[in-house]
Amino acid sequence: MLFRRLLTTKVGYHTPNYVNRRLILSVLKSTATRREAKDYLTKYGDPAVAYHCVLYLRGTKTFSAGLINDFAIMLGRLRLLGIRPLVVLSPSKHVMTESEILRETFYKHGLQSIPINEPMASGTRETILQNGASYNSIIPIIMPFVYHQQRAKRMLAEDEVAFMRELVAYMPCRIDKFFIINRYGGIPSSERHDNSHVFVNLSQEYGSLAEVLKQQITDLRHEMDDGLLAERRATDGSYKEFQYTTLTESLTDLELMSAVLSLLLPSSTGLITSMHSAVTNSRYNPLLYNVLTDRSLVSSSLPSFKRDPISDNAWYELPACGAKIGTQRANPIFSTTVLKQGVDIKLYDYSTLTKENSVGFHELLSTAGSAQLPAHKRVNLTKLKGIIEHSFDRNLDMSHYLKRINGKIASIIVIGDYEGIAILTYEGPEKRPFAYLDKFAVLPHLRGSLCISDVIFNLMFKKFGDELVWRSRRENVVNNWYFQRSVGVLDLSIDIGHGPKKDNIFKLFYYGGKKGTQFYDFDRLREYITYVRDIEPSWSRK
């Protein structure tokens, strides 16, 4: 019913033709959950609110006529989905030619557009979209010109990050998406064999990612300038130049994303992909997919240890249709990065909660005899209890729960203002404990948005990558998601051959490093089952 409503609701630019309907239905059937389809209809189906996406094109002159033609078709599909595109060209001596090529191609596909070369005066509130209301029915093609006051003339923007920051800051419309479309794709990740990062939480990862890219650029520059590599330069010099260009443009794209998304609502999404991926006519089209679901093509928390023994590629990165390893970046799954401005993350590694490091429920806590910690370093137990109860729809007996976990807490992860949490404890034998995910909760209205679940699981995998265990009720609808992120699952009611068999309503999930040798140790698996099976829930009656 939701899919039928989506395809018949008049939220777009024109009546969809058969090909458009078939493609969008294919994306929906293979990707969108009922909640995602409902969220999409609620958001983009409201004619009173106009949402826009900015498409920043880099290297337009290098794209073939066929790609530009397919790009025009894709813009029509975006409008069909209820989002209005604005095209911005990156600084280049070819911008006038590029804008004319785009205008003519758009016209052939029934799309009205207008090239805008009016300069923007840097440092003022004047923008090239002063009459933005008049662009509702056409697609602006914005050229990156600024007015140089000292020279009293129009010039190409020298700093594209500053240009986009000022352009977006005063754009008189609501921007929901910021797409960068280039020649190479998303931000490269060494952990993914230089395929693109799947998802980037900018508030957490921007600094480290920028430093990695800068270091890679510096190292590559030294290699290219090293006289000792003269012989190699003749054979792989062009490849080094390609790498250098890719890395420098990726760094600029990352800076652009950080600058633009910081000016938009937290719910806004950024995406970096190649032109080949952006125009793909399949259910893996990253632009259509993101508008419909607001997420990446694959989950960023899928474990990398599930690898093919021959290629050493993660199981979800194996090339399709017999393609060779290393050619994956032509595939949208491997060449697309989704970015969010993200949420604040706090890690509390107190093994015991006390009056000094906690807020609330002090009557249940002892004192450590030390000075009270600053507010930002204290765990808010009232909010912690609130999100757990809201997420599970059950009352938590705090007295019972604190007695159970205090003294063996491994870590408490808090996302934002307690919008998502994870509580991990150390369980098992005293001399050989293992990390156990005791509580995992996300506020119901945020499930699936902001990638909170992926962020939490990625943090846990990095912090407890060698060994992590959790349990879930057999009938839990999230179990398939858990299974994809685990190395194995066991029913906690099985006969473990050590003591009496016990009935149990839970399944046990376990995760580990690349080698995962401990998971071939039946004695260790028996310890997981024995200790996790007998953990008593701390729920109280309402």
Side-chain angles (χ1 to χ4, degrees):
M1 178 62 71
L2 286 172
F3 296 158
R4 187 179 299 112
R5 285 177 57 200
L6 172 61
L7 294 176
T8 57
T9 301
K10 296 181 179 180
V11 297
Y13 173 59
H14 56 75
T15 303
N17 59 32
Y18 174 72
V19 175
N20 285 339
R21 287 172 60 91
R22 186 175 60 182
L23 176 62
I24 295 170
L25 185 59
S26 172
V27 174
L28 280 169
K29 283 184 175 180
S30 61
T31 62
T33 64
R34 182 178 294 272
R35 184 186 69 245
E36 288 168 342
K38 184 178 180 180
D39 290 345
Y40 164 78
L41 286 169
T42 301
K43 184 175 186 178
Y44 295 110
D46 184 0
V49 181
Y51 290 93
H52 294 74
C53 66
V54 173
L55 297 104
Y56 189 84
L57 302 188
R58 186 187 300 285
T60 306
K61 187 71 164 55
T62 65
F63 301 143
S64 67
L67 281 177
I68 297 296
N69 185 74
D70 291 341
F71 177 68
I73 295 173
M74 188 51 53
L75 289 188
R77 288 170 177 159
L78 287 174
R79 297 213 60 162
L80 169 65
L81 291 176
I83 192 165
R84 297 172 177 174
L86 299 94
V87 176
V88 181
L89 300 177
S90 65
S92 163
K93 63 181 180 180
H94 304 295
V95 289
M96 299 298 290
T97 302
E98 291 172 343
S99 66
E100 187 59 24
I101 291 173
L102 291 174
R103 187 193 66 78
E104 291 179 356
T105 306
F106 293 171
Y107 179 77
K108 292 177 183 177
H109 291 275
L111 298 174
Q112 299 181 51
S113 63
I114 179 171
I116 301 176
N117 58 18
E118 180 183 347
M120 181 168 62
S122 179
T124 73
R125 288 181 174 268
E126 297 174 4
T127 76
I128 56 179
L129 290 179
Q130 288 177 339
N131 300 317
S134 64
Y135 296 122
N136 286 342
S137 60
I138 59 179
I139 300 174
I141 303 173
I142 303 169
M143 286 169 269
F145 287 112
V146 296
Y147 182 75
H148 196 289
Q149 294 179 337
Q150 283 74 27
R151 299 181 184 178
K153 68 175 184 177
R154 184 185 73 175
M155 298 180 62
L156 274 175
E158 295 180 354
D159 186 340
E160 55 187 302
V161 176
F163 171 80
M164 284 302 299
R165 183 185 292 115
E166 187 162 0
L167 175 67
V168 171
Y170 302 115
M171 197 169 277
C173 57
R174 181 166 179 174
I175 300 173
D176 188 54
K177 306 285 184 183
F178 178 44
F179 298 151
I180 296 178
I181 300 174
N182 57 32
R183 293 172 289 175
Y184 311 118
I187 308 299
S189 167
S190 58
E191 294 180 356
R192 302 189 73 218
H193 299 266
D194 288 331
N195 291 319
S196 299
H197 280 274
V198 174
F199 173 76
V200 174
N201 178 32
L202 287 169
S203 65
Q204 173 199 8
E205 302 176 81
Y206 172 77
S208 59
L209 272 181
E211 285 303 313
V212 167
L213 289 171
K214 289 176 183 177
Q215 187 60 53
Q216 289 176 330
I217 291 170
T218 300
D219 293 344
L220 194 57
R221 184 77 265 173
H222 288 163
E223 285 187 32
M224 294 167 65
D225 293 339
D226 193 341
L228 297 176
L229 294 178
E231 294 182 3
R232 289 182 57 193
R233 190 177 295 115
T235 57
D236 66 357
S238 59
Y239 178 67
K240 294 292 185 184
E241 291 288 350
F242 170 80
Q243 281 186 307
Y244 184 80
T245 302
T246 302
L247 290 172
T248 52
E249 290 192 2
S250 293
L251 178 59
T252 302
D253 289 344
L254 183 65
E255 293 171 344
L256 274 170
M257 276 293 169
S258 179
V260 170
L261 290 181
S262 67
L263 299 172
L264 306 180
L265 293 174
S267 59
S268 301
T269 305
L271 184 148
I272 306 173
T273 194
S274 67
M275 179 61 85
H276 282 89
S277 296
V279 302
T280 183
N281 191 31
S282 76
R283 61 192 177 98
Y284 294 116
N285 182 284
L287 275 59
L288 293 180
Y289 190 103
N290 189 259
V291 171
L292 290 168
T293 68
D294 197 36
R295 54 185 169 91
S296 52
L297 290 167
V298 294
S299 173
S300 63
S301 62
L302 287 171
S304 61
F305 62 79
K306 293 183 176 179
R307 294 185 175 273
D308 175 70
I310 298 177
S311 68
D312 194 40
N313 275 42
W315 65 270
Y316 54 89
E317 293 181 350
L318 294 178
C321 304
K324 294 181 179 179
I325 300 294
T327 62
Q328 298 98 299
R329 280 185 71 84
N331 187 315
I333 292 177
F334 312 122
S335 61
T336 302
T337 301
V338 171
L339 306 93
K340 290 274 191 180
Q341 185 55 34
V343 287
D344 292 330
I345 299 170
K346 294 186 179 68
L347 296 177
Y348 302 97
D349 293 337
Y350 311 128
S351 63
T352 301
L353 294 172
T354 66
K355 294 179 180 179
E356 289 78 12
N357 62 22
S358 305
V359 175
F361 295 96
H362 278 189
E363 69 278 7
L364 303 177
L365 302 173
S366 61
T367 180
S370 57
Q372 190 175 73
L373 294 176
H376 69 279
K377 292 186 177 181
R378 284 182 278 162
V379 180
N380 191 316
L381 295 180
T382 302
K383 291 185 177 181
L384 199 71
K385 181 176 186 289
I387 183 177
I388 292 173
E389 293 184 341
H390 198 175
S391 180
F392 287 89
D393 195 27
R394 305 181 74 176
N395 280 358
L396 184 67
D397 184 338
M398 284 298 287
S399 177
H400 181 277
Y401 188 60
L402 289 173
K403 287 179 182 178
R404 199 195 79 71
I405 68 171
N406 243 353
K408 56 180 183 179
I409 298 173
S411 186
I412 297 176
I413 300 172
V414 176
I415 305 296
D417 187 18
Y418 290 79
E419 293 152 330
I421 63 99
I423 302 173
L424 298 104
T425 60
Y426 285 117
E427 307 292 342
E430 184 177 350
K431 294 183 179 180
R432 199 184 176 196
F434 54 83
Y436 169 68
L437 175 57
D438 189 88
K439 287 288 183 289
F440 168 56
V442 177
L443 289 178
H445 71 281
L446 292 177
R447 291 172 186 167
S449 65
L450 302 178
C451 299
I452 289 177
S453 297
D454 283 327
V455 169
I456 291 176
F457 265 73
N458 277 330
L459 283 170
M460 293 191 301
F461 290 163
K462 289 178 181 178
K463 194 173 180 65
F464 305 100
D466 291 333
E467 203 171 21
L468 178 64
V469 176
W470 66 96
R471 73 181 186 183
S472 174
R473 287 175 174 265
R474 292 176 188 166
E475 69 277 9
N476 194 337
V477 296
V478 187
N479 283 346
N480 184 56
W481 194 88
Y482 285 153
F483 178 75
Q484 292 175 337
R485 283 147 188 82
S486 66
V487 74
V489 58
L490 293 170
D491 193 312
L492 285 178
S493 63
I494 66 172
D495 184 356
I496 60 176
H498 186 72
K501 176 182 176 181
K502 295 184 179 180
D503 291 334
N504 203 279
I505 61 173
F506 294 102
K507 287 186 175 183
L508 173 82
F509 296 87
Y510 49 99
Y511 169 94
K514 293 180 181 179
K515 294 182 179 179
T517 53
Q518 68 270 31
F519 303 128
Y520 297 99
D521 182 349
F522 188 74
D523 290 335
R524 190 56 166 169
L525 293 177
R526 184 184 288 116
E527 288 175 349
Y528 292 161
I529 294 172
T530 301
Y531 284 90
V532 172
R533 181 185 62 186
D534 296 334
I535 292 176
E536 185 179 349
S538 297
W539 305 118
S540 61
R541 293 183 179 180
K542 290 187 177 182

